[in-house]
Amino acid sequence: MEAFTGRALGRHQAAVVRIGFGLVWLAYLLREWPHRRVLYGDRSPWSMELAQRLLADDGAFTVLPWFGGRLWFELVYHLALLAALAVLLGWRTRASSVLFLATVLSLQNRDVFLGDGGDNVVHLMAVYLVFTRCAEVWSLDARRARPGWGGVALWALLGAVLAVCQAGDFSGDSLSWTGPAFPYLGWAPLFWGLWAVAGLWWLLGRLRPAGEPRAVLDALANMVHNCTMLVIATEVVLIYATAGWYKVQGSRWQDGTALYYPLHLDYFAPWPGLSALVGSALLPVFLISYGTVILQVAFPFTLLNRRVKNVLLAVLMGEHLGIAVVLGLPVFSLAMVAADAVFLPTGALLWAAAGLGRSRRRFGRRFGRRWGRPTAA
C-alpha cells in the first residue's frame, strides 16, 4: 500500500503516452487544417442541426454548438492546436490536459462519423491523461524550479471562463451537474472539481508544503495516477484481446485473405505501387494475416513473461507502423503505438532518452561550429 500511494508508478511511461497522444492529435489537426471546415465546421455535410439532434440523445460533450458560426469554430480548432502542443511539451499540464480533453471531445463529438478507429483511442486517452501525473519527467513543468504566479493567473482565468460558461444560457445542457446515465454526473462536477483541486494543491504548497494536508493530497494524487495507469494498460489489453477474438470468428481471417482485399482498395492505397507490390506476395500476406490474429490473441497472456512481452510489443509496434505507411492509417497506427508505450520497460525508455540527449548535444556542437557560436566544453 505504501508503494501504491507513496510514489507515482510508471512516470516515464506516462510521459511517453502524453507526448505520443499530444503529437498524434497535433499532427492530425495540422494535416486536416485545410479541410477543417468541411470536417467539423460550417461546410460539413453533417450540419450543426443534425449534430445537435444527435447530441440531445447521447449527451456527448462539445462546445461547438454554443455559439455556432465560423469565428467560434476557428477559435475552438486553433485552441485545440495549442492545447495539443502544450500537452506535447508538458507545459502547465494540469490545465493543458483539461483543455486537451475539452477540445478533443468538442471536435470528435461534432461529427462522430469521422475517424478510422484511432479517434476512439485518442478520445479515451484524453480522458485518462487528466488523472495522471504525466509531466513529472520529460516536460517543461519538470524543468521549472518553482511553480510561480503564472499558474495562478492561468488558474484564475480558466475559473472565470468556466463560471461564464456555466452561467450563460449558450452552454445548454453540456455543463449540467447531473447526467441521465451512470454515473449520473454531468461535466460540471468534473471541470469544477479539477479546478478546485488545482487551487487547493497550489495553496497548500505555498502555505504548508511539508504539512500533513499536502502529504495526504500528494498520496491521493499518486493513487489516482497509479489507478489510471492500470486502466490504460487494461484498455490496451482489451483492445488487442477483443480485436483478436473477433478476427478469429471472421471467415477472411480464417482463410488468411483479410489483408489481401484492403491492399487492392484505392481507399487504403496511399502508395499504389507499394500496395500492389505487397498484395502480389500471396504467401507473406497469408502469413501476416494469420500472424496478426496470433499476436493479438496472445498479447494478454504474454504479460506474464516480461521478455516475451517486450518482443511481442516491438512486433506489434512495427506492425502498426507498417499499417500507417502501407494502408494510410497514420492516426490509428500512431495512437496505438502511443498507447502501447504504457508497457515499455523503463530501462529502454531511459536508454532511448540518453541517446536522444547525446544526439541533441552533438547537433548543437555542430550547429555552433558552423555558425561560429561558442559551445559548452
Side-chain angles (χ1 to χ4, degrees):
M1 187 63 182
E2 182 179 355
F4 190 70
T5 60
R7 63 188 180 94
L9 304 175
R11 297 184 306 157
H12 297 86
Q13 288 81 357
V16 174
V17 171
R18 168 184 57 80
I19 294 170
F21 280 97
L23 180 60
V24 167
W25 188 240
L26 178 63
Y28 171 76
L29 294 177
L30 291 175
R31 186 191 70 176
E32 301 298 347
W33 190 86
H35 316 290
R36 62 193 184 282
R37 295 176 63 188
V38 177
L39 295 177
Y40 304 110
D42 55 311
R43 295 181 180 176
S44 174
W46 185 251
S47 66
M48 184 62 74
E49 181 183 356
L50 292 174
Q52 288 178 312
R53 291 172 60 182
L54 182 60
L55 291 169
D57 293 334
D58 59 20
F61 177 82
T62 177
V63 302
L64 288 177
W66 287 6
F67 295 103
R70 182 180 176 183
L71 181 60
W72 176 245
F73 163 73
E74 296 286 1
L75 178 63
V76 174
Y77 193 93
H78 290 87
L79 180 62
L81 283 168
L82 294 177
L85 180 61
V87 167
L88 170 63
L89 299 177
W91 181 81
R92 305 291 181 186
T93 314
R94 291 194 187 97
S96 62
S97 62
V98 178
L99 290 176
F100 182 75
L101 167 64
T103 53
V104 167
L105 296 182
S106 294
L107 292 177
Q108 289 188 351
N109 291 332
R110 165 64 176 85
D111 190 347
V112 296
F113 300 103
L114 293 175
D116 52 18
D119 58 313
N120 293 328
V121 182
V122 175
H123 192 115
L124 291 171
M125 295 303 169
V127 177
Y128 298 151
L129 282 176
V130 173
F131 301 98
T132 63
R133 307 186 73 171
C134 56
E136 291 200 344
V137 296
W138 299 335
S139 68
L140 295 180
D141 289 346
R143 297 169 64 91
R144 190 182 302 114
R146 293 177 59 84
W149 290 92
V152 179
L154 180 61
W155 174 81
L157 175 63
L158 292 177
V161 171
L162 183 58
V164 171
C165 295
Q166 186 77 54
D169 294 334
F170 52 82
S171 62
D173 296 331
S174 56
L175 286 178
S176 61
W177 290 91
T178 59
F182 182 83
Y184 305 108
L185 292 175
W187 287 96
L190 172 65
F191 290 135
W192 280 114
L194 293 171
W195 182 83
V197 168
L200 181 61
W201 188 282
W202 181 88
L203 186 62
L204 292 177
R206 282 284 180 174
L207 300 180
R208 300 186 61 186
E212 184 176 352
R214 176 58 188 265
V216 172
L217 196 62
D218 195 60
L220 289 174
N222 289 333
M223 184 174 64
V224 172
H225 165 88
N226 294 334
C227 288
T228 306
M229 292 298 291
L230 179 61
V231 170
I232 293 175
T234 304
E235 188 73 45
V236 176
V237 170
L238 288 176
I239 290 174
Y240 281 124
T242 54
W245 286 108
Y246 271 112
K247 286 181 175 66
V248 168
Q249 303 173 51
S251 59
R252 294 292 177 264
W253 291 99
Q254 291 175 5
D255 59 25
T257 60
L259 181 61
Y260 175 84
Y261 294 102
L263 289 172
H264 290 79
L265 295 175
D266 293 339
Y267 182 80
F268 295 107
W271 315 98
L274 179 61
S275 298
L277 178 63
V278 176
S280 63
L282 298 182
L283 180 59
V285 168
F286 174 83
L287 294 176
I288 292 174
S289 299
Y290 266 85
T292 299
V293 177
I294 294 172
L295 289 174
Q296 292 182 346
V297 172
F299 181 75
F301 303 100
T302 61
L303 299 180
L304 301 176
N305 188 297
R306 185 177 61 182
R307 293 183 178 178
V308 177
K309 181 264 295 181
N310 292 338
V311 172
L312 194 62
L313 191 63
V315 175
L316 286 171
M317 286 184 168
E319 183 181 41
H320 285 305
L321 294 177
I323 291 173
V325 175
V326 178
L327 298 181
L329 298 173
V331 175
F332 167 75
S333 301
L334 296 180
M336 286 306 304
V337 170
D340 290 342
V342 72
F343 292 108
L344 289 174
T346 304
L349 293 176
L350 294 176
W351 174 81
L356 289 175
R358 289 192 297 269
S359 299
R360 184 182 60 183
R361 290 191 294 270
R362 189 179 302 113
F363 175 79
R365 287 194 294 268
R366 290 180 180 178
F367 182 83
R369 286 196 298 267
R370 177 175 297 180
W371 295 96
R373 295 179 181 178
T375 57

